[in-house]
Amino acid sequence: MRTAKTRRMNVGYSLSSLSAARMAEASACFERLDREAPNITLTAALTGFLEGYHARAASVTMATLWESFIATKSTASPPYKQKLKSTAKRLHSLRNMMASDITPKAIEDAIAGFPPSSKNAVLAYLRGAFNFGIRAGVVQQNPVDRLEFTKIVRDQTQVLAPETVEKLLRDAMDNDLALTPFLVLAFYAGIRPDGELQKVLWSDLDLNAKRHHVTIQASVAKKRRKCWIDLSDNVLAWLWEYRARGGSTEGRINTIQHQHAPA
């Protein structure tokens, strides 16, 4: 009884310490929550706002994020750095926005008029920039992860030079670690990017036996027959480096939905 009485007295004291204006404002907030979000408490609403407020306070403009991201590419080739700079210029509508405020919709609007192949390239660069921003603590999530890459159907197979493939893999390793095993197995193991590689699990890879291979289950294989693909030394080297950098080896190999697959 004494505890309940003390609690009532404390509540009464707390309310009496509020000005009339604050009490009126609190009442208006409760009314709005009851009307627009009846299942949300005032404390939850305030907590959500403060999380966004602090995230925005720690963020930087997209222009600054691009500059910092490009600065990390000191050893990249001049053409690659030029592509990053030109991409930043083309996304002028995002330039002065806070990076933490950029939504998938804002990105879609920014690239609406781009050709399909250009959209995919820009999204890849943007994803790298936002992943860098996450590591730098200026954004909390990557809005590109919620966007679809455009599927491009080509009339004939394109051949990529070995040095181009290496650059793509090194860039993924540095800026988009989760994408690395997908690219490695698509480029070097010959697993079909569309269909098969989307469904292969890490448990299908045998990286510890004397003869390393990946199992393509019948339910995954194009011809519905179980098969095995031997893994070359360069595949193993990339995958072991991926694991050494903390890459996940649980679940599906391709954890990025709607990933644009290499040709």
Side-chain angles (χ1 to χ4, degrees):
M1 291 294 292
R2 181 175 299 176
T3 301
K5 182 177 180 181
T6 301
R7 186 180 297 114
R8 287 196 299 271
M9 291 177 61
N10 289 337
V11 171
Y13 175 77
S14 298
L15 290 175
S16 66
S17 66
L18 294 176
S19 65
R22 286 200 166 191
M23 292 183 68
E25 184 176 5
S27 178
C29 289
F30 279 118
E31 290 179 3
R32 186 172 179 182
L33 281 174
D34 289 341
R35 183 172 63 254
E36 299 182 24
N39 296 322
I40 303 298
T41 65
L42 184 60
T43 299
L46 177 60
T47 299
F49 166 79
L50 289 177
E51 288 177 354
Y53 174 81
H54 291 308
R56 195 171 192 276
S59 190
V60 296
T61 64
M62 195 63 206
T64 300
L65 179 58
W66 269 116
E67 291 171 2
S68 300
F69 177 54
I70 294 173
T72 66
K73 302 298 179 181
S74 58
T75 59
S77 66
Y80 178 77
K81 287 190 286 188
Q82 183 56 45
K83 287 180 181 179
L84 290 180
K85 292 178 181 179
S86 62
T87 297
K89 291 181 180 178
R90 295 179 70 184
L91 297 173
H92 54 83
S93 62
L94 305 178
R95 180 175 179 80
N96 295 321
M97 292 180 63
M98 299 299 291
S100 61
D101 290 344
I102 294 178
T103 62
K105 179 63 166 57
I107 295 175
E108 286 181 331
D109 291 343
I111 65 175
F114 293 9
S117 58
S118 294
K119 286 183 179 180
N120 288 338
V122 169
L123 287 178
Y125 295 142
L126 267 174
R127 185 168 57 194
F130 276 107
N131 282 339
F132 165 78
I134 291 173
R135 294 194 299 273
V138 297
V139 293
Q140 294 183 333
Q141 57 186 356
N142 194 327
V144 181
D145 289 341
R146 294 165 57 191
L147 294 174
E148 293 188 20
F149 282 68
T150 303
K151 185 176 181 179
I152 301 174
V153 178
R154 296 182 173 89
D155 295 332
Q156 59 184 12
T157 301
Q158 291 185 323
V159 179
L160 297 179
E163 55 269 22
T164 300
V165 174
E166 182 179 357
K167 287 179 181 179
L168 288 171
L169 291 174
R170 290 192 182 282
D171 184 71
M173 192 75 76
D174 291 337
N175 301 299
D176 203 348
L177 188 62
L179 179 60
T180 303
F182 178 90
L183 294 178
V184 169
L185 294 171
F187 282 129
Y188 293 144
I191 303 176
R192 294 181 178 89
D194 291 331
E196 292 181 345
L197 195 45
Q198 302 286 345
K199 301 175 183 178
V200 173
L201 305 175
W202 277 105
S203 57
D204 295 324
L205 269 70
D206 190 345
L207 300 178
N208 299 315
K210 186 175 182 180
R211 184 177 180 181
H212 311 288
H213 64 267
V214 56
T215 302
I216 306 298
Q217 304 294 342
S219 60
V220 172
K222 183 177 181 180
K223 296 183 178 180
R224 293 296 181 262
R225 290 200 300 268
K226 188 175 183 179
C227 61
W228 295 265
I229 298 175
D230 292 336
L231 300 179
S232 60
D233 290 341
N234 60 339
V235 171
L236 295 173
W238 282 105
L239 293 180
W240 283 330
E241 177 63 18
Y242 164 80
R243 292 201 302 183
R245 296 195 184 196
S248 173
T249 55
E250 300 290 336
R252 290 191 178 190
I253 287 175
N254 178 39
T255 59
I256 303 173
Q257 298 300 312
H258 310 299
Q259 174 63 46
H260 174 59

